[in-house]
Amino acid sequence: MTAAWRRLKPTALALIVPLLLLAFWQMATANQWTRLIPTPYQVAEYMVDFAWGGIYDDAYSATLLTHLLASMSRVYGGFALAAMFALPIGLLIGRIPAARMVLDPFLQLMRPIPVTAWLPLSMILFGLGAKSAFALVCLGAFYPILLNTVFGVRSVDPKLFEAASMLGCKGNAQFFKVVLPAATPSIFTGLRLGLGLAWFVIVVGEMTGVPQGLGAVIMDGRTLSRTELVICGMIVIGVAGYISDRIVVATGNRLLRWSLTHHG
Amino acid sequence: MAEFPIIEIKGVDKVFKLQDQTIHALAGANLTIAKGEFVCLIGASGCGKSTLLRIMAGFEQPTAGEALMWGKPIDGPDPTRGMVFQDYALFPWLSVRDNIGFGPASRGLPRSEVNAIADKFVELVGLQKFASAYPHQLSGGMKQRVAIARVLANDAQLVLMDEPFGALDAMTRERLQDELLEIWERTGLTVVFVTHSIEEAIFLAGRVVVMTPGPGRIESDNALDLPRPRDVASPEFNAIRRALGAKLHSHHGKKAAA
Ligand SMILES: Nc1ncnc2c1ncn2[C@@H]1O[C@H](COP(=O)(O)OP(=O)(O)OP(=O)(O)O)[C@@H](O)[C@H]1O
Ligand SMILES: [Mg+2]
């Protein structure tokens, strides 16, 4: 086919499912299969108002950017906090058997507890508001970063240690010259999953009584029975999370050109 | 230095203990290698060739006996003894140039000097066009060239090669054999080369050491004085091939009879 089609093909294919879903949504609301969900057009109109105002002019008009920035600060802040803990702990567990024996059982025990279950305790420990939100997002992002770091450090090809040592790189120098670079693809995968999860748990994180944020908007929408507000919040989280992931993947592809497995 | 050979293996035993069994990988191995020799080790699978090579490299310690280099015990891996692995073991995150410069960089040489050395050895193995490529972009033959250059760039005196060309196609293998001989003749390196192939051993070696399994022993030590370059189709070559083949397979006969 033509060059233009080859360029557009991935986008066209990617749009099939969302468009089908949109058509189904339109059909369902037009035929009144449900009265509780607004039509795509109503949501679109509300989205415009949410972003720029000028249509309904209510409490949420033209506030999208404020809420988005509030959520982004929690997502990236919580994620950075998680990386700050998970990376060193992961390197420690991966490299030092004693650290593994002390920390691993405890961390594995805590792992199945969902972020939602931590919500009440977090509000007691960190109070109502932003600190709790950071803590919950951080918790959500922690495990994928930790587990992938441990995996990356432990699955270095043993031959590479032999190769390094016969070339004169021994002992602790191997940590920086062999372990860290060999583990980067895995660590990167952990960071990517961690950031994805940070977006994933943002609504729970913002159930902690923060006034602003996309999660807060969704919770308000639920309380006020304003489904279009809820759907707008969901769409913005989806799109923001998607863009954030694409940026991470593009960065990864640049930095990890040497790695065959890294083409997301 | 002159009074000691580069490598002496004296009465070396190697026993591996697994949970439920002990494996005698080597029993009473004796081998002396002089500087500048090209020695091939051949033998059936499991006869301890890799183990012997790994003891020379310092990756393994003998259970009994001594492994000496220049008369001093080998007590760990060292840049004077470079290993070329069958599966290359290149650092996938480093370019060809940086893989080759890994040893000099580890010695703490300044960046400019490391690059100069790396470029020299990139050229030696003919990979100028691929200097900034990553290992996954190279063919098997190119990867093995990098592995050889990486050891040479580090001023190794002894190059230990464990079936280095085993995974390559016949044509690539022949080219690399020629190149290796050329480098060996030019540099005066000492090479210990493990192979499964009698032809490869006879083509390359000044001495062929035949090993037999169960437990791993050195069966015979055969000096070859065929002139180089060797012609694999010549009657002399074939005579040696037959003689070595008989030694290599003799223990099968004994086993079958027992
Ligand atoms: N690290 C190890 N732990 C336990 N057993 C080992 C270890 N390394 C080698 N062996 C055993 O020692 C014996 C000799 O192995 P080695 O790898 O030296 O044989 P090889 O002659 O190189 O064989 P091949 O031609 O198949 O490579 C084998 O029985 C092997 O199973
Ligand atoms: Mg072997």
Side-chain angles (χ1 to χ4, degrees):
Chain A
M1 297 249 190
T2 65
W5 167 241
R6 227 174 297 128
R7 279 176 58 97
L8 288 176
K9 192 175 160 192
T11 318
L13 291 180
L15 283 173
I16 293 176
V17 175
L19 287 177
L20 281 178
L21 195 68
L22 197 66
F24 177 75
W25 176 10
Q26 173 64 33
M27 202 162 71
T29 46
N31 295 329
Q32 308 228 324
W33 293 345
T34 166
R35 285 160 201 269
L36 296 174
I37 295 177
T39 65
Y41 180 78
Q42 286 169 324
V43 172
E45 198 179 47
Y46 197 81
M47 186 70 97
V48 172
D49 185 69
F50 187 33
W52 293 284
I55 301 174
Y56 298 102
D57 286 325
D58 59 20
Y60 295 96
S61 297
T63 58
L64 188 149
L65 196 62
T66 320
H67 294 298
L68 179 62
L69 288 178
S71 286
M72 277 171 67
S73 75
R74 284 165 204 141
V75 166
Y76 292 109
F79 167 77
L81 208 61
M84 237 168 60
F85 286 110
L87 289 176
I89 296 177
L91 295 174
L92 219 61
I93 292 180
R95 282 294 281 177
I96 303 170
R100 174 158 61 252
M101 286 189 279
V102 172
L103 292 171
D104 200 52
F106 170 72
L107 290 169
Q108 296 300 340
L109 198 70
M110 303 295 274
R111 192 159 72 96
I113 304 172
V115 173
T116 12
W118 281 103
L119 180 66
L121 264 189
S122 161
M123 286 171 33
I124 295 170
L125 291 172
F126 302 105
L128 286 175
K131 257 199 261 170
S132 266
F134 275 119
L136 292 172
V137 170
C138 170
L139 191 65
F142 178 78
Y143 278 99
I145 304 177
L146 178 84
L147 296 179
N148 282 283
T149 303
V150 174
F151 174 79
V153 170
R154 298 203 65 190
S155 52
V156 182
D157 181 357
K159 274 267 158 59
L160 295 182
F161 292 114
E162 291 189 343
S165 58
M166 65 100 182
L167 291 169
C169 169
K170 293 174 197 167
N172 289 335
Q174 289 189 347
F175 180 76
F176 293 102
K177 298 266 257 176
V178 180
V179 176
L180 270 189
T184 41
S186 210
I187 291 176
F188 183 82
T189 300
L191 291 173
R192 181 184 171 197
L193 292 174
L195 188 57
L197 268 159
W199 278 106
F200 191 76
V201 300
I202 187 65
V203 179
V204 182
E206 290 175 346
M207 281 182 181
T208 51
V210 291
Q212 283 164 347
L214 297 165
V217 168
I218 290 175
M219 293 324 291
D220 289 354
R222 194 190 72 163
T223 323
L224 304 169
S225 298
R226 287 186 53 182
T227 317
E228 74 282 356
L229 195 58
V230 172
I231 296 177
C232 281
M234 291 168 70
I235 292 173
V236 176
I237 290 177
V239 172
Y242 175 79
I243 293 174
S244 146
D245 187 60
R246 291 331 293 174
I247 294 172
V248 172
V249 169
T251 316
N253 285 347
R254 279 186 65 89
L255 295 179
L256 299 171
R257 263 175 310 141
W258 58 268
S259 169
L260 254 189
T261 50
H262 243 274
H263 295 287
Chain B
M1 289 238 293
E3 59 254 58
F4 290 108
I6 185 166
I7 287 289
E8 275 174 290
I9 301 293
K10 290 185 178 170
V12 163
D13 286 358
K14 181 69 188 178
V15 179
F16 290 108
K17 286 207 167 60
L18 302 176
Q19 298 91 320
D20 49 349
Q21 56 177 341
T22 52
I23 297 171
H24 283 261
L26 283 177
N30 289 299
L31 184 64
T32 301
I33 297 171
K35 183 180 181 321
E37 278 197 281
F38 197 128
V39 177
C40 277
L41 304 180
I42 61 173
S45 185
C47 68
K49 305 181 295 292
S50 296
T51 305
L52 185 56
L53 207 66
R54 290 172 57 77
I55 286 174
M56 291 185 209
F59 294 142
E60 307 277 0
Q61 293 297 317
T63 312
E66 288 186 300
L68 310 172
M69 181 182 196
W70 301 127
K72 292 199 197 71
I74 294 170
D75 57 2
D78 188 274
T80 53
R81 297 181 302 273
M83 183 88 157
V84 175
F85 301 89
Q86 176 169 9
D87 48 7
Y88 323 118
L90 299 179
F91 303 109
W93 57 88
L94 296 180
S95 66
V96 166
R97 180 188 286 112
D98 291 341
N99 261 287
I100 295 174
F102 187 92
S106 294
R107 275 187 277 151
L109 297 183
R111 192 72 227 170
S112 58
E113 211 170 316
V114 170
N115 283 338
I117 294 175
D119 283 334
K120 181 177 142 204
F121 285 91
V122 165
E123 206 179 308
L124 180 85
V125 292
L127 288 175
Q128 295 92 319
K129 276 196 195 133
F130 294 88
S132 7
Y134 290 102
H136 81 263
Q137 298 166 316
L138 306 179
S139 70
M142 292 174 179
K143 284 184 203 168
Q144 208 52 295
R145 285 195 176 91
V146 176
I148 293 169
R150 157 174 97 168
V151 163
L152 299 179
N154 217 12
D155 293 333
Q157 302 165 23
L158 176 69
V159 179
L160 304 163
M161 307 179 89
D162 196 352
E163 301 186 39
F165 306 150
L168 306 178
D169 65 86
M171 257 167 47
T172 311
R173 187 182 320 151
E174 281 169 23
R175 286 223 6 225
L176 281 172
Q177 288 169 351
D178 287 334
E179 289 175 22
L180 177 63
L181 277 182
E182 204 249 321
I183 292 170
W184 169 72
E185 281 170 348
R186 200 145 43 87
T187 54
L189 278 173
T190 311
V191 179
V192 183
F193 188 109
V194 170
T195 174
H196 268 131
S197 153
I198 300 181
E199 283 78 19
E200 186 168 56
I202 304 173
F203 184 73
L204 294 172
R207 253 165 89 194
V208 178
V209 173
V210 178
M211 296 178 66
T212 53
R217 292 178 186 284
I218 292 181
E219 211 268 348
S220 66
D221 193 335
N222 311 272
L224 305 185
D225 48 10
L226 279 178
R228 298 173 198 273
R230 292 173 179 168
D231 176 5
V232 293
S234 70
E236 295 85 351
F237 196 101
N238 270 309
I240 297 172
R241 185 194 337 232
R242 229 170 294 126
L244 281 181
K247 288 183 182 173
L248 200 55
H249 298 301
S250 59
H251 71 281
H252 287 316
K254 276 182 231 151
K255 276 231 171 112

